[in-house]
Amino acid sequence: MAKGHRSQIKRERNDQKDTRPSAKLSYARVSVQKACFVLDAIRGKDIDTAIGIVTYNPRYASSLLKKLLESAAANAENNNGMDRSRLYVEECYANKGPTMKRIKPRAQGRAYRIEKRTSHITVVLNER
């Protein structure tokens, strides 16, 4: 059980907030496994190299990640006053989102379930 008043506990929790610039895309229509192929390629790279990688990557998730990287870089410049040339991808990960269940008719009156998976993709930047 936490000690102190509710407002004091909230205040302490908010003081520990992460100040690194980030961008999050929720409910992306791509599975976590497919997004992780592209995320693994850009993790730890500087921002210009990462944007170059996703620009010429043929996977669908790379088009989503390009916009996400540019958004995170803009957040770093405008909100945190960081220098764009010193930015790099510190963290990037995809968490599982809700799955849409659909039915596909098959032979002899059967129905197969189709699962359309979604994910929540997060990119966190930092300065070198």
Side-chain angles (χ1 to χ4, degrees):
M1 189 97 182
K3 300 243 182 192
H5 191 265
R6 182 174 56 225
S7 61
Q8 182 183 359
I9 294 167
K10 280 186 172 182
R11 203 174 303 116
E12 288 172 4
R13 189 172 56 221
N14 287 339
D15 287 343
Q16 299 167 358
K17 203 163 216 166
D18 193 9
T19 58
R20 297 175 299 178
S22 64
K24 184 173 182 179
L25 174 63
S26 296
Y27 306 104
R29 274 291 291 118
V30 62
S31 71
V32 173
Q33 292 89 338
K34 290 176 183 178
C36 280
F37 281 119
V38 186
L39 290 171
D40 291 340
I42 65 168
R43 192 174 289 116
K45 305 275 195 305
D46 64 276
I47 192 72
D48 294 324
T49 307
I51 290 175
I53 288 169
V54 297
T55 301
Y56 296 105
N57 194 323
R59 291 184 175 271
Y60 170 71
S62 61
S63 61
L64 303 173
L65 270 170
K66 183 179 180 194
K67 290 175 79 172
L68 203 59
L69 283 168
E70 289 168 349
S71 174
N75 289 342
E77 288 180 82
N78 295 325
N79 301 343
N80 296 42
M82 294 180 166
D83 182 24
R84 184 185 168 97
S85 60
R86 299 182 61 213
L87 291 174
Y88 75 102
V89 181
E90 187 169 55
E91 286 180 30
C92 55
Y93 52 88
N95 294 327
K96 187 171 173 278
T99 302
M100 296 185 286
K101 277 112 178 155
R102 300 293 182 260
I103 298 297
K104 181 163 181 127
R106 299 305 298 247
Q108 298 178 356
R110 292 185 176 90
Y112 279 11
R113 175 170 281 180
I114 303 260
E115 293 187 335
K116 296 179 179 257
R117 300 182 188 275
T118 62
S119 58
H120 306 308
I121 305 171
T122 306
V123 174
V124 180
L125 305 180
N126 211 344
E127 269 187 329
R128 286 200 200 270

